Amino acid sequence: MSWPEEPVIYEVNTAVWLGELSQAAGRRITLAEVPVAAWHAITPAGVDAVWLMGVWERSTLGLAMANAHSGLRASFVEALPDLRPEDVLGSPYCVRRYVVAEEFGGDEGLARARAELAARGVRLVLDYVPNHVAPDHPWVTEHPEFFVHDENGEIALGRDPYFPPWPDVFQLDAFSPALRTAATMTLSSIAARCDGIRCDMAMLVTNEVFSRTWGLPRVPEQDFWPEIIGGLRARHPETVLIAEAYWNMEWPLQQQGFNFCYDKRLYDRLVSGDVGGVRDHLRADPGYQSRLMRFLENQDEPRILSELEPEAAQAAAVVIATLPGATLWHEGQFEGRRVRPPVFLARRPDEPLDHDLAAWYRWLLAVVADHRVRRGDWRLLEAEGWPDNESCHRLLAWEWAAADGTRHVVVVNFSDQPAQGLLPVGWSEKYTDLLDGGVVFEAVSRLYVALGPWGCHLFVAA
């Protein structure tokens, strides 16, 4: 199934989701047995792909290590005060084998899930962890040459260059030719079972970062990802690759073959309310922008309503929903959940669900999709003020111009104060706001806008 240029992806915590479906059904539900209504709930109009986070077989050794780690245990209880032993499954990023966990229905269950999504025109995204594996992964005993070893000859724990090692994973040697061959085969085996792959901490295995982390003297001539992705493309040319990326590594990873990279910088600036910083970020080259993945939540970041007030979070959602690139939404975000359970857990706390907010999110996605807002050429608009009113600096604005002449103009007052400004939108006589149905008649080349705190427009020009 081919991918759209600006895909919308919906992330689901597989263990939590299946656990709640099982509780509701009074029996274990696997990926092969998910009810139609549950598929419908995670594939609202406008969603192009579902990321089933954490389907792979987890490590029993990693689980024991996690349960013995006081800091992790404290985070479990903080998120889930009535924690039970069976709630802790271990980390989905401490992978023992790239086969679907038996409790989730195995590879057969995953195939059924992929078919259900495909019948709805929705693609499937899965995880891959290139940097490390579980301590009981078969490679540990069968291929010790795949790993980094410490000064005592022991396999090193996985780590990044800035923090202490993770206690439950072993570090793969990204410079090892044998490991690279095996990694290519692993990635290809995952691609055979899905439509897109999200690569965990993808920058860690680049030559630059890996060399800095481990100080190994031998640096291969070719970087890790071009070699691995080249091998993948020979078998699965259509697979979309998404890089979890930080530390200004987005552009290098795009050049090394990733279709999309996390846009953590935009997330940070939105959460901090840095309107100028957001605008500066959006001044980057449109080609670069179109290969970023925008988000307000994921399994690693706090719930957005624990970071922003509700009105600010909705304004940020309009920003995310209408920018170029991929868009990621997180299951529970629409319903206003505020607790982000650690990925080790199979259960989350009960919370009151905001059904009105969920309806608003689904409506927003449907409006953007139905009106084909994100197509054509995108450009940032610089709002102008006048000598006694500089509130225009609170406005974020951009325009989409399609080849058929359709134009959409997005304006967001990303502040808790009113804002006014003039937008250089070109000549149109009528602007209809798709968000509230209002109509503005302005037969001029600059559009006047006035928005209350956190207010938004999504105009279609005629």
Side-chain angles (χ1 to χ4, degrees), residues 173-219:
D173 183 355
F175 288 174
S176 164
L179 181 276
R180 289 186 174 194
T181 299
T184 302
M185 294 176 63
T186 299
L187 195 62
S188 296
S189 76
I190 296 171
R193 290 171 280 177
C194 65
D195 307 288
I197 302 173
R198 179 262 190 190
C199 296
D200 185 70
M201 298 289 280
M203 68 286 179
L204 292 184
V205 290
T206 61
N207 283 3
E208 175 190 344
V209 175
F210 194 79
S211 179
R212 177 155 39 97
T213 304
W214 294 101
L216 299 179
R218 48 185 175 81
V219 179

Side-chain angles (χ1 to χ4, degrees), residues 226-274:
E227 182 174 342
I228 304 306
I229 293 174
L232 171 72
R233 294 295 183 214
R235 300 171 176 86
H236 301 282
E238 73 290 345
T239 302
V240 162
L241 296 176
I242 301 165
E244 181 189 15
Y246 311 111
W247 316 330
N248 295 319
M249 290 296 293
E250 298 86 358
W251 173 255
L253 287 167
Q254 288 180 3
Q255 302 313 297
Q256 292 180 26
F258 280 92
N259 300 89
F260 300 101
C261 296
Y262 272 36
D263 191 358
K264 180 65 157 58
R265 180 167 297 168
L266 177 65
Y267 166 83
D268 288 338
R269 293 182 182 186
L270 287 171
V271 167
S272 66
D274 182 2

Side-chain angles (χ1 to χ4, degrees), residues 269-276 278 296 304-305 307-319 360 363-364 391 393-396 410-420 433 435-436 450-458:
R269 293 182 182 186
L270 287 171
V271 167
S272 66
D274 182 2
V275 183
V278 171
L296 294 176
I304 193 61
L305 285 183
E307 298 291 301
L308 294 177
E309 292 299 318
E311 296 83 0
Q314 286 181 263
V318 173
V319 170
W360 179 86
W363 168 77
L364 174 64
S391 64
H393 297 306
R394 302 176 190 134
L395 298 174
L396 298 169
V410 179
V411 193
V412 177
N413 175 12
F414 202 66
S415 78
D416 60 1
Q417 300 294 319
Q420 302 84 37
D433 192 345
L435 298 183
D436 66 9
L451 285 166
W454 310 114
C456 305
H457 290 309
L458 173 48

Side-chain angles (χ1 to χ4, degrees), residues 14 23 46 85-86 114 133 221 229 251 301 349 403 436 451 457:
T14 305
Q23 183 179 24
E86 61 269 24
R114 187 183 185 189
V133 296
E221 182 176 337
I229 293 174
W251 173 255
E301 304 294 348
D436 66 9
L451 285 166
H457 290 309

Side-chain angles (χ1 to χ4, degrees), residues 3 23 54 63 97 111 127 177 194 204 282 314 322 324 356 390 392-393 459:
W3 283 75
Q23 183 179 24
L63 171 60
R97 292 188 303 161
D127 292 294
C194 65
L204 292 184
L282 297 179
Q314 286 181 263
T322 58
D356 290 339
E390 292 295 322
C392 63
H393 297 306
F459 290 120

Side-chain angles (χ1 to χ4, degrees), residues 4 38 61 102 105 109 122-123 130 136 148 173 180 208 248 279 281 314 329 346 350 364 366 384 387 396 424 460:
L61 281 179
E102 191 61 33
V122 176
R123 298 141 197 87
D136 48 357
V148 174
D173 183 355
R180 289 186 174 194
E208 175 190 344
N248 295 319
R279 190 181 299 109
H281 182 56
Q314 286 181 263
W329 305 104
D350 292 331
L364 174 64
E384 302 172 7
L396 298 169
V460 58

Side-chain angles (χ1 to χ4, degrees), residues 41-63:
I42 65 169
T43 56
V47 166
D48 302 302
V50 167
W51 169 18
L52 290 178
M53 191 279 293
V55 302
W56 306 124
E57 185 179 296
R58 307 185 192 200
S59 165
T60 53
L61 281 179
L63 171 60

